[in-house]
Every structure is written in structure tokens, then in C-alpha cells.
Amino acid sequence: MTQTTTQSDANAVRFSGVVKSYGAVRAVNGAELSIGRGETVALLGRNGAGKSTTISLLLGLNEPDAGEVGIFGRTPEQAVRAGLVGAMLQEGSPIPRVTVRELVFFIGSMYPKPMPVAEALALAGLTEFADRRVDKLSGGQTQRVRFAMALAGNPELLLLDEPTAALDVEARRAFWESMRTYADRGNTVVFSTHYLEEADDNADRIVVIDRGRIVADGPGETIKRAAGGSLVSFDLAGMPTEGLSLLPGVAAVEIHGDRARLRSDDSDATVVALAAMGAVRRLEVAPASLEDAFLSLTARESETV
Amino acid sequence: MFEYIKLEMRRTLRDASFVTFGIGMPVLMYLLFTNIGGGQNDDADWKISSMIGMAAYGALGAALGVGTGVASDKSIGWLRQMRIAPLPPTRVVTGRAISGSVTVLPGILAVFLSGALVNGVRLDAWQWGALTLLLWIGALPFTMLGLGNGYRLSAQATGVVNVACLMGLAILGGLWFPVSAFPGWLRRIAEYTPTHRFADLGWATSQGHAPGAATIALMAAWLVVFGSYAVVSYRRSARTA
């Protein structure tokens, strides 16, 4: 019994068999996911893949049709009430006729152990706008206000739904730096994005979601490997293409004109085999980019549907 | 919850148009009703009872109007933001109702002031105090009704539904025309309306006695009904957004 308690406490987030549909569309389809305390996890997927629904379920804004969602061993609603969760939602503009400082202070005041307002404003890069009316800010500044609101309660679990939309390159860099500072304090951070680089650069772990399903889950490296670790390409120079898919390590073959691109789990073995065939003209070996990995993972999923 | 009340009050008082309409409209209507149509009617009782009726009507309008603000807050995602904060729904609704009731007070005071200064209404000091307090507190069920509409409906629909509630309840409750002018069956329905009981709080006071137990009980019952409506609507609101 003690063991069960420790086990559930060890997880910040636990999804088991979660299904959520909107009409005929299964926005989340049987998701199994657990996120440990202190992890920084990216939910990666295209628009409409089910990322926002997942975050809504984590916040208790939506109830799953089936399965269970647990946050620190409680229901999402209990966790929200206890002030354990802070979130930055995607839509919504701040309410008119309050200043940034008033709004951030107010949000913090509802939590048991809020972050000092000055600190939340500094982390979100809003110090100089503290006394501005929230409705008089630009899109990027508004986005930072949302971040400050999410931080204000000093929550153990921070949920960020596409946090860098509307931010320019400079603001983006500053944002991720602040996010990592917050994560480094031992907090759990879950963010959604459709930028692959962002996920790879800022998360310990990437959960790839497509059509409501988790199609891959692991560190950036693992995701790349899952998609076929390397890309071996060479000029065919008129040689026949059949048999290429049978070479050692090869997972997939693409032909573009006179050039063959082989996705390989073991590029060394593939290259040796190609060399034995004499197919080495303009031979290149490149690690699969996360973009390739993502496309291949989500394409594989669509074939099985 | 205290901080929430503070925040919402601040926002309301910074809204110039809301303050102007909340105060200006009932005063204008009171002066029109007592001085233009019934100009030759010098009846002091009518001036008092219509003053109370119009103050009640103004309070009603302001109370329901709180819902319109809530509906526009909902459209920009503020309710969702509140839903993911640790404050439980009952406290969010209570806090919003209390902060909303601040907007009710200026209208009541302005009508009373114009009653005393323009129409020469004379009442004891305790009566003025009691009237103000009773109408102010008595507006709470209507604030709840307005909130329920605001949490449930879109911003445009809330405006329309609130006006319909306001007109319907005001006429049925006898705030515009005295209930004594109603046919018997309608009078019996009118007795149970929250608006009639609301105005009764004031009429009883102006006649120098405390409102009856039936009035207090009915107002409390309406507060529970509209209060539950507001809480249920609030709980539902974030999901559909």
C-alpha cells in the first residue's frame, strides 16, 4: 500500500487509456502516458493532432470519455484546487482595465505559495510593462503576460499550450531560457508545439502525437532512431533499384530521379553493402533530422489507419 | 476571494460608460415618470412609491448588467483562466456577485437624491439608510440571475435575455404600474415575483415598518434559485468554450 502511494506520487502526470471525442472525431484516442516529477516534456504534433485537448484534460477543463487522468496522484480538479498546476492557454486575451502587475498579483494571490510578483514579471520579461494596462499591449507582450500568469502561483506542474506562438525570434529565445530556469528548480514542465526544433532543444523528452494517438515517446535521439537513424544517399547512375530495400539496415527506400535515399538503422552495414555493389557515386550519410523523423512517424501511423 | 472582489471592482469602476448608464438611466426615467406623464398628480405617496420603484428598477438593471460584463469576459477566455485557478466555482460566483453589487449602489443613491432634491420627497434619516441598504442587498438575487445568463450565453444573447428579464420582471412585479391595477389572477402571480418582493422591501420601509417575513423568505428563496443557476452555468461555461 505504501508502495502504491510512492509510485503515484513519483508521477507528475499519468494518463491511462484516455479517450476524448468531439462528435465523430477522436481528439485523444487511448493515450497512455506518464511523466515523472521534474521532467520537461514536449507534446509534438501538427495542428489538430490532439495537443490542446490533452492539455485541457490535464487541467480538468474537459472530462475524458474513458480512462483516467491523474496529476500528482489526484484528479486534475483536485490538483488545480490545491494550486499545484499553472497553465498558459492558447486562446484568450487578457481582460481589459487592469494593469499587468494587478493581474499577475491577483492570479498569484489565489495560490498557497505564490511567486513574488516582481520575480514572475522578471521571468516573463515584463518588468518594464508592469504598470501598463493589459489591453494596451502588443501580441507578443500579451503572450508574455500569459506566461507570467502561469508562473504567478509558483506551480509544481507548468502546462504551456503553444507558448511561443506570436513571439519573434528574440522573444522566443528569452522565453525558453525562462522556461528552463523554472524547470531547473525541480518543477515539471509540459509544453506543446509544432516546431520540431523547439521540442528537441528545450525538452528532455518528446511525445509525438498524431490523430489523437501517441506515435512516439522518448528523448530526441530515440525519436530520430525510431524513424530510421540515418539517411544514406547516392547516385544510381542507371543501376536497378530492386533489392535496395533488402540491404542490411535499410528500413525504407526513396528514389528521386537518379538519386536513391535509403533510411537506415545501421548506416555502417548499409554503406559496406553498397560499396560491395560498387554503388558509391556521391555517397552521403546524414543523420535523419527530427523533421524527417516526425514525417516518417506520422506517415507510418496514417498507413495503419 | 477578497482579491478577486478587489480586482473586479477596480475593473468596473474604471469603466466609464457602465458607471454613467448605471446612474443616469434610472434617474432620467424617474424624473420623466413623475414629472411629465403624471405632472398634475401631486400625490406624495406616488412620488415615494415611484421613487422606490425606479430605484429598484435601476438596481435591477445594474444587477443584471453584471452578467453582460461576464459574458464579454467569457468571450475573451477569462472564465477559462479562472477555471484553471485554485478558486472554487462557488467562490468565483460569490466574489463576482459581491463585486457586481458595487455597481448597483450608485444608481439607488442617485434616484433617492433626485427624489429628495427635485421631487421633494421627505423621509426619516433611518428610512433613507434602511432603504438604501435593503435595495442594495435585495439586488443580489438579480445579480445572480444576470451572472447565470452571462456564464451560460454569448455576449449578444446575454444582453437581449437580460433586457427581457429586466422588462418582464419589472412589469410583472409592479415596478412600473402598481400591482393593484392588475387583474386578480395576475396579481396573485405578481406577489411571488422576486421583483415585487424586492420593491416591497422599500415600500414597507417607507411606510415605517420592517418588511414582512414572507418577503424576506421569498427573497432568500429566489437568491438560492438564481445563485444555483449562476454556479451551474459557471461550471458548464468553461467546457463549451
Side-chain angles (χ1 to χ4, degrees):
Chain A
M1 175 141 177
T2 330
Q3 213 170 1
T4 7
T5 325
T6 4
Q7 192 134 36
S8 65
D9 276 357
N11 279 309
V13 170
R14 181 184 283 274
F15 254 55
S16 45
V18 175
V19 176
K20 175 71 194 174
S21 309
Y22 293 108
V25 181
R26 291 216 156 174
V28 173
N29 195 353
E32 298 285 339
L33 175 67
S34 48
I35 295 174
R37 279 175 190 252
E39 271 192 276
T40 301
V41 175
L43 302 177
L44 176 64
R46 299 186 182 91
N47 286 331
K51 306 185 299 284
S52 291
T53 306
T54 303
I55 287 179
S56 282
L57 289 165
L58 288 173
L59 286 165
L61 286 172
N62 283 312
E63 303 258 329
D65 300 331
E68 264 181 48
V69 182
I71 310 282
F72 298 116
R74 313 176 191 216
T75 67
E77 202 178 343
Q78 288 166 343
V80 166
R81 288 282 170 275
L84 296 170
V85 189
M88 184 171 168
L89 299 173
Q90 210 185 119
E91 77 268 25
S93 43
I95 47 169
R97 299 185 301 278
V98 285
T99 67
V100 172
R101 191 197 308 277
E102 284 166 357
L103 186 57
V104 173
F105 171 78
F106 162 66
I107 298 286
S109 75
M110 291 185 282
Y111 287 77
K113 286 172 288 176
M115 182 184 284
V117 175
E119 192 187 341
L121 293 180
L123 265 177
L126 282 168
T127 307
E128 56 186 306
F129 305 109
D131 295 311
R132 285 258 207 107
R133 291 271 181 97
V134 165
D135 44 344
K136 304 259 159 69
L137 298 174
S138 74
Q141 290 160 348
T142 302
Q143 190 77 344
R144 290 190 233 169
V145 172
R146 282 194 207 116
F147 184 45
M149 286 163 78
L151 293 171
N154 208 4
E156 273 183 63
L157 172 63
L158 186 62
L159 301 170
L160 308 165
D161 197 0
E162 293 189 15
T164 55
L167 294 184
D168 58 33
V169 179
E170 196 54 45
R172 222 166 255 206
R173 195 171 300 141
F175 170 85
W176 289 119
E177 205 170 295
S178 298
M179 189 281 285
R180 280 195 298 264
T181 307
Y182 194 70
D184 287 345
R185 295 179 189 175
N187 297 302
T188 312
V189 180
V190 177
F191 67 86
S192 71
T193 179
H194 46 241
Y195 302 115
L196 310 155
E197 265 186 80
E198 278 192 350
D200 197 23
D201 292 348
N202 301 294
D204 308 330
R205 179 178 154 197
I206 299 174
V207 174
V208 184
I209 301 180
D210 189 54
R211 280 162 253 230
R213 284 176 190 277
I214 294 171
V215 294
D217 181 351
E221 279 306 311
T222 313
I223 303 285
K224 287 180 208 174
R225 219 175 17 249
S230 314
L231 206 59
V232 178
S233 51
F234 61 96
D235 282 353
L236 286 165
M239 100 180 235
T241 57
E242 54 269 18
L244 287 178
S245 61
L246 302 174
L247 293 176
V250 172
V253 178
E254 286 169 50
I255 308 294
H256 294 284
D258 194 39
R259 196 154 175 86
R261 286 153 58 91
L262 311 181
R263 202 173 288 282
S264 170
D265 300 330
D266 185 350
S267 52
D268 292 349
T270 308
V271 169
V272 169
L274 284 173
M277 290 162 65
V280 290
R281 187 178 296 180
R282 285 180 56 217
L283 181 84
E284 269 175 46
V285 179
S289 71
L290 207 54
E291 189 81 46
D292 288 330
F294 180 67
L295 286 176
S296 130
L297 283 166
T298 53
R300 196 176 295 172
E301 176 64 15
S302 63
E303 277 159 25
T304 60
V305 163
Chain B
M1 188 169 86
F2 176 68
E3 289 299 334
Y4 182 48
I5 295 171
K6 232 169 75 182
L7 181 90
E8 292 289 4
M9 275 198 333
R10 223 178 235 159
R11 294 182 57 213
T12 309
L13 295 176
R14 282 177 189 164
D15 189 351
S17 68
F18 196 76
V19 173
T20 330
F21 273 95
I23 299 172
M25 279 297 277
V27 170
L28 196 67
M29 289 190 69
Y30 171 56
L31 294 177
L32 283 175
F33 270 54
T34 49
N35 291 307
I36 295 177
Q40 49 281 75
N41 190 348
D42 253 352
D43 192 355
D45 277 354
W46 163 238
K47 288 206 164 151
I48 293 177
S49 73
S50 74
M51 175 184 79
I52 292 166
M54 212 42 80
Y57 176 71
L60 210 68
L64 284 165
V66 175
T68 318
V70 161
S72 69
D73 283 354
K74 180 172 72 179
S75 68
I76 60 172
W78 176 238
L79 293 193
R80 255 171 114 77
Q81 192 68 49
M82 288 303 292
R83 273 292 303 270
I84 59 166
L87 209 57
T90 47
R91 291 220 219 147
V92 172
V93 174
T94 311
R96 193 66 189 88
I98 293 173
S99 58
S101 71
V102 175
T103 57
V104 171
L105 197 55
I108 299 174
L109 290 175
V111 172
F112 285 174
L113 207 62
S114 52
L117 297 180
V118 182
N119 283 352
V121 172
R122 293 288 169 265
L123 290 169
D124 292 342
W126 73 267
Q127 282 177 310
W128 286 119
L131 273 177
T132 308
L133 200 66
L134 283 172
L135 288 189
W136 189 26
I137 294 171
L140 213 51
F142 305 103
T143 309
M144 290 296 188
L145 175 62
L147 283 178
N149 290 338
Y151 288 140
R152 183 166 297 244
L153 308 168
S154 72
Q156 291 91 327
T158 302
V160 175
V161 172
N162 278 348
V163 169
C165 286
L166 177 64
M167 298 291 213
L169 287 172
I171 293 170
L172 198 60
L175 297 194
W176 286 13
F177 314 103
V179 174
S180 54
F182 290 0
W185 62 272
L186 192 58
R187 201 178 313 162
R188 233 159 293 133
I189 296 174
E191 305 265 289
Y192 287 96
T193 58
T195 26
H196 183 69
R197 294 297 166 171
F198 178 47
D200 189 45
L201 293 173
W203 289 322
T205 312
S206 71
Q207 285 152 23
H209 54 82
T215 293
I216 307 246
L218 266 170
M219 287 303 285
W222 281 112
L223 178 62
V224 171
V225 170
F226 291 147
S228 316
Y229 171 60
V231 172
V232 170
S233 301
Y234 174 69
R235 282 181 188 277
R236 277 180 35 152
S237 63
R239 221 163 291 168
T240 48

